[in-house]
Amino acid sequence: MTLLLTDNEVAERLDGLTAVAAMRAALLAAYSGRLVAPPRASAALRGGRLVTAAGQLADEWYGFRSYDTFGRPEAEQLVVLHEAGSGRIRAIAVGEEIGSRGSGALGAVAVDTLARPDAATVGVLGAGRQAWAQIWATASVRPLREVTVHCRTPAVRDAFAARVRAELGVPAHAVTSAAAAVRDRDVVVLATDSPTPVVDPADLAPGTHVNVVGFKQQGRAEFGPDLLDLAEVLVTDSVEQAMDYRPPMLAAVAPYADRLRHLGALLTGEQPGRTAADQVTLFCSVGLAGAEVFLLDRLARVEALSA
């Protein structure tokens, strides 16, 4: 029987360590070529686009994630997992949790790989689902001592800080400016819907690791080239996807493209990551195709074992 998971069920059954382990495995599989992860495909519709990200893991499974860009508040995403041999649909997830938690776990792999070993403070700009997933997953790879958060709406940032305290047991504070949120933080997360820069790199302390989750294209980006200039290490979860953006992704054009590395290459040790405590490192999350299907496969395996 096909396993069907809702957002609530994904949230209940998926812990941070499991998600991070799955995304680390997905990155390694993509880098080695076992995970086929082509750039997203989209169909232009009236008022928006329907986007599909497909993936295939060797002879084990294939599947896809689909979502739209209409911006409707109750819109849902779909993740479908097929068995490779039979084509049978083994599992379906409906909603946004598996996508956002997969993205959060990819970000946590980047933190675990690039942030200083003693990193314990996080500043986050944005207080939506993606911002929460980044903190949720990061808390499983670092013993967080404090989280500071800023977004435009006071009530929303207050609620975010309260959720971090209640669900993660981490001291968290809402602050009134972006500078206050990121200053002297070991890790900074940009997870806004802003089309213009929200952070001044001058506010970042030496040695900060930054995860960028929101807009990152020329003419529409939550950070500017000055952040890329500051970062000594630039990584992404899919170089192929990064190079496929239209308009181009900021980190995928000269003079930055030659420095952009696949996170999987750092995991294998084929390329260096942080080499000094005072380096600023930057992870540009673009959405590894097949990552959500990879995560759904892990959940389906756990469900089968517990049945």
Side-chain angles (χ1 to χ4, degrees), residues 179-251:
V182 305
R183 190 177 295 121
D184 296 324
R185 301 289 89 178
D186 302 323
V187 175
V188 166
V189 174
L190 308 184
T192 75
D193 59 3
S194 175
T196 58
V198 296
V199 64
D200 183 348
D203 292 324
L204 301 179
T208 301
H209 171 71
V210 183
N211 277 357
V212 175
V213 183
F215 294 134
K216 53 187 67 68
Q217 295 169 263
Q218 289 182 335
R220 188 178 70 161
E222 62 179 354
F223 64 95
D226 50 358
L227 180 59
L228 299 175
D229 293 332
L230 178 66
E232 294 188 58
V233 181
L234 297 175
V235 299
T236 186
D237 45 338
S238 173
V239 174
E240 190 175 5
Q241 178 65 62
M243 298 299 176
D244 195 62
Y245 274 88
R246 299 293 182 273
M249 189 179 99
L250 287 177

Side-chain angles (χ1 to χ4, degrees), residues 75-165:
E76 293 180 313
Q77 301 181 13
L78 181 70
V79 181
V80 178
L81 168 68
H82 292 260
E83 288 183 348
S86 66
R88 185 178 71 87
I89 295 177
R90 199 162 99 240
I92 297 172
V94 179
E96 295 187 82
E97 283 295 333
I98 197 164
S100 61
R101 291 184 188 247
S103 296
L106 286 167
V109 175
V111 170
D112 200 32
T113 307
L114 285 166
R116 297 191 313 271
D118 63 347
T121 60
V122 182
V124 56
L125 300 184
R129 188 185 294 269
Q130 290 288 346
W132 165 256
Q134 293 284 319
I135 302 303
W136 168 80
T138 297
S140 70
V141 301
R142 287 291 191 277
L144 299 185
R145 188 173 67 247
E146 184 182 37
V147 171
T148 47
V149 58
H150 174 73
C151 73
R152 291 170 295 184
T153 308
V156 173
R157 63 190 185 229
D158 287 342
F160 185 95
R163 185 181 182 187
V164 172
R165 294 192 298 269

Side-chain angles (χ1 to χ4, degrees), residues 13-24:
R13 301 179 192 190
L14 184 62
D15 62 88
L17 285 174
T18 298
V20 172
M23 293 302 93
R24 182 177 284 108

